Amino acid sequence: MTRRAERPPRVLVTGFEPFAGDDVNPSWEICRALPEAIGHARVHTLRVPVAFRDAIEVVAAEIDRLDPLVVLCLGLAGGRPALSVERVAINVDDARIADNAGARPVDEPVAAGGPAAYFATVPVKSMVAAMREAEAPAVLSNTAGTFVCNHLLYGVLHFLAASGRPTRAGFIHVPWLESQALSRPGEPAMALATMVRGVEAAIAAALEGGPDLAASEGALD
Ligand code: PCA
């Protein structure tokens, strides 16, 4: 009798194309710098358009193709000083600027009739702790904003809930790259190597599974 070799688990990591006039997006630069494997999992990366609807469609199609254990989406949050693991996605699009396809929805639901919010299904506090352990400044964030990043996290969680897949999904917002901060004096930035180290540690923690760490990361504001 021949035994079929166990297929290694997969992790899908997505990054966004540049937007808002920038020529680089650190979220995709991180994807490009990740190793081919983290622990036992093979790493697959995907570059996602900064476009409402399309962003969800391309990631959902890749989830269907790969059947990953974990999906981790990355996006830029210029002005934040640390890697921010998002706890929640809300069912609203409220765009301050147009997306790369020219769409600028105001107070539209991501999914009509969907729940008001979804919690990320990765262990967010374990991920924050793992990133700090790897000496990458990290925080837990309670808002992913109301632009394409929140839209994508909500859409992926909504898609996974409907599909019944056990895939866990989460989102990390990242700061400006140091090169981007040169033209933005006083703005916080982080070296690409630090971001990559932190994201690798977060992925390893997300792949471990198990219950989340019961440590307070609460905020008063
Ligand atoms: N950041 C934007 C969308 C793409 C990106 O990298 C956001 O935070 O919504």
Side-chain angles (χ1 to χ4, degrees):
M1 204 169 72
T2 50
R3 270 189 61 203
R4 247 196 323 151
E6 282 262 314
R7 224 176 49 165
R10 298 150 191 226
V11 55
L12 173 61
V13 190
T14 75
F16 279 104
E17 65 185 7
F19 69 110
D22 268 298
D23 55 8
V24 68
N25 189 322
S27 64
W28 177 242
E29 298 310 309
I30 294 166
C31 289
R32 296 200 323 148
L34 286 174
E36 284 180 7
I38 296 176
H40 294 303
R42 292 204 64 78
V43 175
H44 295 259
T45 60
L46 180 70
R47 192 171 187 261
V48 178
V50 180
F52 290 100
R53 306 284 153 216
D54 283 4
I56 297 173
E57 270 172 36
V58 300
V59 177
E62 194 68 352
I63 291 171
D64 270 339
R65 197 177 73 81
L66 288 175
D67 191 24
L69 186 60
V70 168
V71 182
L72 183 66
C73 303
L74 308 175
L76 167 67
R80 292 198 192 179
L83 299 162
S84 319
V85 181
E86 299 296 349
R87 192 200 302 254
V88 63
I90 58 175
N91 192 11
V92 68
D93 294 332
D94 188 0
R96 197 158 34 85
I97 57 169
D99 70 11
N100 284 358
R104 209 191 138 195
V106 173
D107 294 353
E108 289 175 20
V110 181
Y118 283 103
F119 288 118
T121 47
V122 290
V124 289
K125 291 183 171 177
S126 301
M127 290 162 69
V128 169
M131 292 161 105
R132 290 180 186 153
E133 185 74 20
E135 297 189 357
V139 294
L140 184 69
S141 163
N142 295 304
T143 174
T146 55
F147 193 49
V148 180
C149 289
N150 170 77
H151 177 89
L152 177 61
L153 178 58
Y154 185 96
V156 166
L157 290 165
H158 191 60
F159 169 77
L160 289 171
S163 73
R165 282 182 195 278
T167 304
R168 298 189 287 274
F171 197 101
I172 299 177
H173 262 126
V174 307
W176 301 116
L177 287 168
E178 287 171 328
S179 59
Q180 292 179 291
L182 289 175
S183 57
R184 299 174 168 100
E187 285 290 315
M190 191 179 278
L192 180 61
T194 308
M195 298 197 204
V196 172
R197 204 168 62 231
V199 168
E200 265 193 72
I203 291 169
L207 285 166
E208 263 180 33
D212 201 0
L213 207 62
S216 173
E217 294 289 343
L220 295 180
D221 56 356

